[in-house]
Structure formats: structure tokens, C-alpha cells
């Protein structure tokens, strides 16, 4: 009986200690939460990314990475102006001013300041406690991003508070743990004495082996179709492969990946976590680079995700560089770039390139699958939009938001996507080159699609140090694409079935012909795709046939420049009463 009374008094004392400690911790947490409530919180983000804006006021903004911007560095077609300050882990700070030409960019960084986040645990979950601080202020008004840059808060105060909480916790829990251990020892002693006074009953041991666990209790959600684990192709999420190393490819440059092309780099580092893969659209082919193309959902909108594997890291890095650095602004006939990121799935590193999604697919698929032939209006709309996109690539643009001239090097119908309005966009820039790249690196002429290679590339006689040589090779490929499109154009009630270039002599299956086969056909036999006789009775198709022959001429110097190609298409459209296109 005395032992029972002693145990009861001990348990009451232990419970009172626990209640007192919990009350002290609650008061401390309340004081900290009251302090946090006094801080300014970021404004809620505008999630109307998918809304269609009929009219949007444009502003003029400063664009620079200095304390004071020169008056000449401005952008005059902005939706939002911004200024930012970033502090790296070593204390180095960067400041910049710029603008967003698209409404969608306001969703990601505007009014976000990791130094003013209410909950420190939320900052840690967003990866902002790894040493990188940033603050972005956005505004709408002419030159509203002038003035002082945002100020970053020093986290040393938070660290002191954290140390204080840790010390307080140990001060409270230390004695409690000691008392708990002591109580456990006393309980064991009392229980042992009580058990000795009772008859000993046989004990029954129950052993649970790992092999007895049902397989249904284990769940895997890997994305690789070849994995032996359960595969869920309709709802896949990528897990981060640690901190993204995308910064290594763009280190030393601005924190934004181009004023109008792609998301800010800070957002791209977590882009893969926000995208859900829904449907595999097929394998991609970038001149010999393998991979997959998926339709994904990102903030409620469909996006296209091109997945490179680690062996094609150079191609992914090059395409990321072209989109983010060399194509600074949006163009109606260039595939819209959202961002790039690295992820890890099924213990494999994958390299993602996220772009706009076009449900009609590639021009190759559209010409193949469409049950109806193309009208002259649709035909010239497709051809003119491709020419506009290629003209933008081939042309050097000077100025703050300028771009260098470049050649695509892998132009084909599978690398052109069809928009819902009937126009097209050019995609796949893994092989694109500029004059600077030709000077620095040697180009591998074997890369690319053999069927669309120009005679001088097949013969390996092209001047690999001259950009103009590769631009003329693009014109040859363009001529073959125009032939593919015009075959499906209806004239006098007749339209031919789709056929790939040189399908009369080369296999038209998915198997790519060898370079030797194409070289013999194009160089030695001097073959070109045949032009149907019925085109002579249609002025538009007859003019298109003449344009094709000038594009795929055997001598590169005799081929038309892309500007002349566009002007010829504009003239053909203007002279055809069946065509109603906005001609510029």
C-alpha cells in the first residue's frame, strides 16, 4: 500500500511539471507569433494566368543592372516594371531593373520577398534558407521602377531567436527527461516486485517477419515505363534532385532568362515541382538526340515538357541557352519558352524543357492526320508563318533587346508546330548556331535529319566557320517543307495524299535513311521532289513550285534569302482572291 501511495504522489508531481512547461512554451510561441504579425506580408498573387486579356496598357521601364540606369536603356512595351535585389550565400548582392512584356510573368515573382515571409518554416520549405535572399518589387507606370532598390532584411535576428528557443527547450525538456527516466526505473522496480508475488503465466511471443507484409502495402510511383515498380502514367510528379544546377549554365548572367522569353531563373529552379505530367505525346528526335515529349499541367494550364536524358545534357543545355539568352523576346512564329529544370525520377536524372503546348501537334502530324485537304488560304497561312519565324531567326537585331543572327540546322516538318489559328511556330533549337559559336566550336555536320540535308552538307564541303552557309542550308530545307504543304493543297477539286520528301526513292517509314543513300540521290542523281502537272493550271501553286526550285537549288549562292522568300509568298497571297491574310 505504501508503494502505491508513493507512485500516485510521484505521477501527480510529474503531470504538474508537464503542464507548467507546456504553458511556458505556449506563451513564448504567442510572443513570437505577435512579433511576426507586425511584419509586412507579401501581397496575394494574381492567379489569372490563363485569362485572355483583350487590351492591356503598356508602360516604359528602365532596364539595367546598375544603381543608376542610363536614359537609353528602356523597354517601351511592358505590362509590368520591376526592380530587384539578390543576396548570395557569400554576401554578394546584385541589383537590376527590367520589365515583363507578358502578363503571365507577374504570377511568379511580383510582390514576393523571402525576408518578409511570415512563417520561417514556410521559407525553409520553399528553399529560401539555403543562403539566397531576394526581393522583387513590381509596379505599373512609366519609369516607375526608378528610385532605390528593395532592402533585404538581416536574418541574424531570426538566428538569435532560434538559439533562444533551442536553449529554452533544452532547459525545460532536460529535467523532464531525467524525471521520466527516473520514473520509468521506479515503475519497473515496483512492477517487478508485484510480478514476483503472482503466479508466473507462460508468455507468448509473436514474430512479424518482413516477408509477411502484403505487397499491396508498398506503393511506388515511378515514372519510367521500364521500371518494375507500379507505373502511373496519368499522374506523375517529379521529385527534386537537390538544388537545381541550372544556375551553373547561366551563372554570371541576369537573374531573368530574357526580358520576354521564359520565366525568371529563380522560378525555373523549382519549375519541375509544379508540373504534373499527364500524357506522353511520343519520342522526340533532335537530330539524333532521344527523349520524350509529354503534355503536362502547370497552374491549371497545359504545357509541353520535352524530357532529355542525362546522356543528352549538351543538347538540353544548348537549347536552354538559345531560348533563354539568344531569343530575348517572344515571337508569334517561335515556340514559346517557359523554363528549364533538372529533376530526379526513379533514381535517374532528367532534364526538362517546358514550353507552350499546341494540341494540333507537329506540321508532319497535321498533314498526315487531317482528313481534309488544305485550302489555298490555309496553305499560304502555314507557309508564310514558317517564313516569318525563319526570318526572325536569320536576322540580327540590334538594341537592348536585340538578338544575334542564327541558323536552325534541323528544319523539318516534325520540328514545326501548328497553332489553333492555322499558323505555325518553329521549335527544337538543339542544333542552332550563331557566328560566335561557329568561331568557338567546331560543328558536327553529321548531326541533323539526313532527308532534309542540303547538298553541300551531304558533300561535307560547307564552310563551317561561316553562318551564311548554314542559313542557306536552312533555305534548302524550307523548300522541301513547302513541297510537303503544297501537296495537300486542293486545286481544281484535287489534292494529293501526304508524302515525305524523296519518298519515291527513299523509305518513308520512321527509319531514317543513311547519309550515303541521301548523298547518292541528291548529289549524284540530282534528284528533287517532283512537282505535279496540275499545279501549272493554278497560278498560286505554279508560283509556289517556282519558289521551291529556287530554294532547293544545288548551288547555295543561287538560293533565295529568307526575306525574298517571304516577299514572294506575300505577293502570291495578295494576287489570290481565295486568300485573305493580314499581309505586312
Amino acid at each position: 500500500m505504501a508503494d502505491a501511495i508513493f507512485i500516485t504522489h510521484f505521477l501527480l508531481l510529474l503531470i504538474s511539471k508537464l503542464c507548467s512547461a507546456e504553458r511556458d512554451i505556449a506563451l513564448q510561441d504567442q510572443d513570437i507569433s505577435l512579433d511576426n504579425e507586425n511584419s509586412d506580408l507579401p501581397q496575394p498573387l494574381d492567379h489569372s494566368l490563363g485569362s485572355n486579356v483583350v487590351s492591356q496598357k503598356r508602360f516604359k521601364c528602365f532596364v539595367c543592372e546598375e544603381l543608376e540606369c542610363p536614359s537609353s536603356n528602356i523597354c517601351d512595351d511592358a505590362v509590368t516594371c520591376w526592380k530587384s535585389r539578390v543576396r548570395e550565400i557569400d554576401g554578394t548582392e546584385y541589383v537590376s531593373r527590367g520589365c515583363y512584356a507578358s502578363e503571365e510573368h507577374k504570377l511568379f515573382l511580383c510582390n514576393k520577398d523571402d525576408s518578409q515571409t511570415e512563417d520561417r518554416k514556410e521559407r525553409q520549405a520553399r528553399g529560401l534558407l539555403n543562403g539566397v535572399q531576394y526581393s522583387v518589387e513590381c509596379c505599373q507606370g512609366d519609369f516607375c521602377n526608378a528610385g532605390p532598390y528593395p532592402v533585404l532584411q538581416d536574418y541574424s535576428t531570426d538566428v538569435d531567436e532560434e538559439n533562444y528557443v533551442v536553449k529554452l527547450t533544452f532547459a525545460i525538456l532536460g529535467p523532464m527527461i531525467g524525471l521520466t527516466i527516473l520514473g520509468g526505473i521506479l515503475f519497473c522496480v515496483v512492477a517487478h516486485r508485484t510480478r514476483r508475488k503472482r503466479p508466473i503465466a507462460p508468455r507468448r511471443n509473436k514474430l512479424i517477419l518482413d516477408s509477411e507484409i502484403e505487397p499491396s502495402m508498398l506503393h511506388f510511383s515511378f515514372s519510367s515505363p521500364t521500371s518494375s515498380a507500379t507505373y502511373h502514367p496519368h499522374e506523375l510528379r517529379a521529385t527534386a534532385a537537390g538544388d537545381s544546377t541550372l544556375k551553373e549554365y547561366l551563372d554570371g548572367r541576369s537573374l531573368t532568362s530574357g526580358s520576354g522569353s521564359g520565366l525568371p531563373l529563380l522560378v525555373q529552379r523549382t519549375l519541375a515541382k509544379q508540373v504534373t505530367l499527364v500524357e506522353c505525346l511520343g519520342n522526340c528526335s533532335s537530330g539524333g538526340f532521344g527523349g520524350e515529349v509529354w503534355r503536362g499541367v502547370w497552374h491549371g494550364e497545359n504545357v509541353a515538357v520535352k524530357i532529355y536524358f542525362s546522356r543528352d545534357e549538351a543538347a538540353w543545355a544548348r537549347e536552354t541557352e538559345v531560348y533563354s539568352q539568344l531569343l530575348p523576346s517572344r515571337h508569334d512564329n517561335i515556340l514559346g519558352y517557359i523554363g528549364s529544370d533538372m529533376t530526379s525520377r526513379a533514381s535517374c536524372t532528367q532534364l526538362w524543357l517546358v514550353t507552350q503546348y499546341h494540341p494540333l501537334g507537329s506540321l508532319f502530324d497535321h498533314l498526315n492526320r487531317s482528313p481534309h485537304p488544305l485550302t489555298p488560304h490555309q496553305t499560304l497561312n502555314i507557309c508564310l508563318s514558317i517564313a516569318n519565324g525563319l526570318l526572325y531567326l536569320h536576322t540580327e537585331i540590334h538594341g537592348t533587346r536585340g538578338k544575334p543572327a542564327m541558323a536552325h540546322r534541323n528544319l523539318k516538318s516534325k520540328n514545326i508546330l501548328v497553332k489553333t489559328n492555322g499558323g505555325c511556330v518553329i521549335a527544337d533549337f538543339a542544333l542552332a548556331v550563331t557566328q560566335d559559336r561557329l568561331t568557338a566550336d567546331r560543328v558536327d555536320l553529321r548531326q541533323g535529319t539526313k532527308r532534309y540535308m542540303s547538298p553541300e552538307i551531304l558533300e561535307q564541303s560547307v564552310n563551317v566557320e561561316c553562318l551564311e552557309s548554314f542559313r542557306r542550308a536552312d533555305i534548302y530545307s524550307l523548300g522541301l517543307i513547302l513541297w510537303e504543304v503544297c501537296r495537300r493543297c486542293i486545286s481544281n477539286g484535287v489534292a494529293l495524299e501526304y508524302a515525305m520528301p524523296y519518298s519515291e526513292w527513299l523509305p518513308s517509314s520512321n527509319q531514317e535513311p543513311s547519309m550515303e543513300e541521301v548523298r547518292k540521290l541528291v548529289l549524284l542523281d540530282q534528284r528533287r521532289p517532283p512537282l505535279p502537272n496540275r499545279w501549272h493550271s493554278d497560278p498560286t501553286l505554279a508560283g509556289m513550285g517556282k519558289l521551291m526550285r529556287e530554294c532547293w537549288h544545288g548551288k547555295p549562292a543561287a538560293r533565295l534569302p529568307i526575306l525574298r522568300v517571304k516577299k514572294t509568298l506575300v505577293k502570291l497571297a495578295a494576287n489570290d482572291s481565295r486568300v485573305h491574310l493580314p499581309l505586312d
Side-chain angles (χ1 to χ4, degrees), residues 77 103 109 122 190 221 252 299 301 319 397 439 472 502 544 572:
D77 189 26
E103 186 72 17
L109 278 183
E122 181 182 350
V190 174
S221 183
H299 293 287
E301 297 291 329
E319 194 160 11
I397 301 176
T439 304
R472 291 174 179 174
Y502 302 112
M544 291 295 296
L572 290 174

Side-chain angles (χ1 to χ4, degrees), residues 428-452:
D428 198 330
F429 297 95
L431 299 182
V433 293
T434 61
Q435 185 60 59
D436 291 341
R437 185 172 180 86
L438 292 176
T439 304
D441 302 323
R442 183 168 182 82
V443 174
D444 187 356
L445 296 179
R446 295 171 298 178
Q447 292 179 332
T449 306
K450 310 299 185 295
R451 189 186 297 266
Y452 291 83

Side-chain angles (χ1 to χ4, degrees), residues 246-296:
L246 178 62
K247 185 176 182 294
E248 297 177 3
Y249 291 93
L250 304 176
D251 197 14
R253 299 185 175 97
S254 171
L255 283 176
T256 59
S257 54
S259 300
S261 179
L263 298 175
L265 180 57
L266 289 171
V267 177
Q268 292 188 39
R269 293 177 183 174
T270 60
L271 181 60
K273 298 179 183 179
Q274 307 168 18
V275 176
T276 300
L277 300 181
V278 177
E279 176 187 6
C280 183
L281 304 178
N283 295 328
C284 63
S285 175
S286 304
F289 304 114
E292 297 175 346
V293 178
W294 286 73
R295 178 176 67 87

Side-chain angles (χ1 to χ4, degrees), residues 464-483:
V464 295
E465 297 181 354
C466 179
L467 179 64
E468 181 61 25
S469 302
F470 292 101
R471 288 194 293 193
R472 291 174 179 174
D474 283 348
I475 297 298
Y476 172 88
S477 303
L478 176 63
L480 299 181
I481 296 172
L482 297 180
W483 179 85

Side-chain angles (χ1 to χ4, degrees), residues 75-323:
C75 65
D76 54 3
D77 189 26
V79 172
T80 302
C81 304
W82 58 264
K83 54 185 177 182
S84 67
R85 184 187 298 270
V86 177
R87 180 184 296 153
E88 296 288 351
I89 190 171
D90 59 355
T92 304
E93 291 189 0
Y94 306 93
V95 294
S96 59
R97 309 179 195 267
C99 63
Y100 293 141
S102 174
E103 186 72 17
E104 62 192 40
H105 293 160
K106 293 171 56 180
L107 175 63
F108 304 100
L109 278 183
C110 284
N111 300 323
K112 279 193 176 182
D113 183 348
D114 72 307
S115 65
Q116 298 177 357
T117 305
E118 180 179 13
D119 192 350
R120 293 182 66 257
K121 293 183 179 179
E122 181 182 350
R123 289 204 306 269
Q124 188 172 13
R126 289 166 47 205
L128 298 177
L129 291 181
N130 293 334
V132 178
Q133 297 177 247
Y134 67 94
S135 177
V136 181
E137 293 181 0
C138 298
C139 60
Q140 291 183 326
D142 288 341
F143 305 110
C144 64
N145 63 340
Y149 287 93
V151 179
L152 295 175
Q153 177 181 341
D154 191 356
Y155 283 146
S156 59
T157 303
D158 293 349
V159 175
D160 293 338
E161 292 177 359
E162 182 177 359
N163 294 336
Y164 174 78
V165 172
V166 171
K167 293 178 181 178
L168 180 63
T169 302
F170 276 108
I172 296 175
L173 293 182
M176 292 178 60
I177 293 174
L179 291 175
T180 303
I181 295 174
L182 181 59
I185 293 174
L186 293 176
F187 180 81
C188 291
V189 171
V190 174
H192 179 68
R193 291 180 179 179
T194 305
R195 194 182 302 115
R196 285 197 306 174
K197 298 178 182 179
R198 296 178 182 177
I200 299 176
R203 293 182 298 174
R204 181 180 179 184
N205 294 331
K206 183 177 180 182
L207 214 38
I208 300 178
L209 302 177
D210 291 342
S211 59
E212 294 178 330
I213 300 177
E214 296 182 3
S216 60
M217 297 173 64
L218 303 175
H219 176 71
F220 298 88
S221 183
F222 295 156
S223 64
S224 174
T226 59
S227 173
S228 59
T230 305
Y231 176 54
H232 302 277
H234 295 291
E235 188 173 357
L236 303 177
R237 275 200 180 273
T239 57
D243 292 335
S244 173
T245 58
L246 178 62
K247 185 176 182 294
E248 297 177 3
Y249 291 93
L250 304 176
D251 197 14
R253 299 185 175 97
S254 171
L255 283 176
T256 59
S257 54
S259 300
S261 179
L263 298 175
L265 180 57
L266 289 171
V267 177
Q268 292 188 39
R269 293 177 183 174
T270 60
L271 181 60
K273 298 179 183 179
Q274 307 168 18
V275 176
T276 300
L277 300 181
V278 177
E279 176 187 6
C280 183
L281 304 178
N283 295 328
C284 63
S285 175
S286 304
F289 304 114
E292 297 175 346
V293 178
W294 286 73
R295 178 176 67 87
V297 175
W298 176 60
H299 293 287
E301 297 291 329
N302 285 323
V303 294
V305 182
K306 185 176 180 180
I307 300 178
Y308 284 96
F309 299 114
S310 56
R311 64 178 179 271
D312 299 324
E313 183 175 355
W316 170 82
R318 177 57 181 169
E319 194 160 11
T320 296
E321 179 187 8
V322 170
Y323 273 121

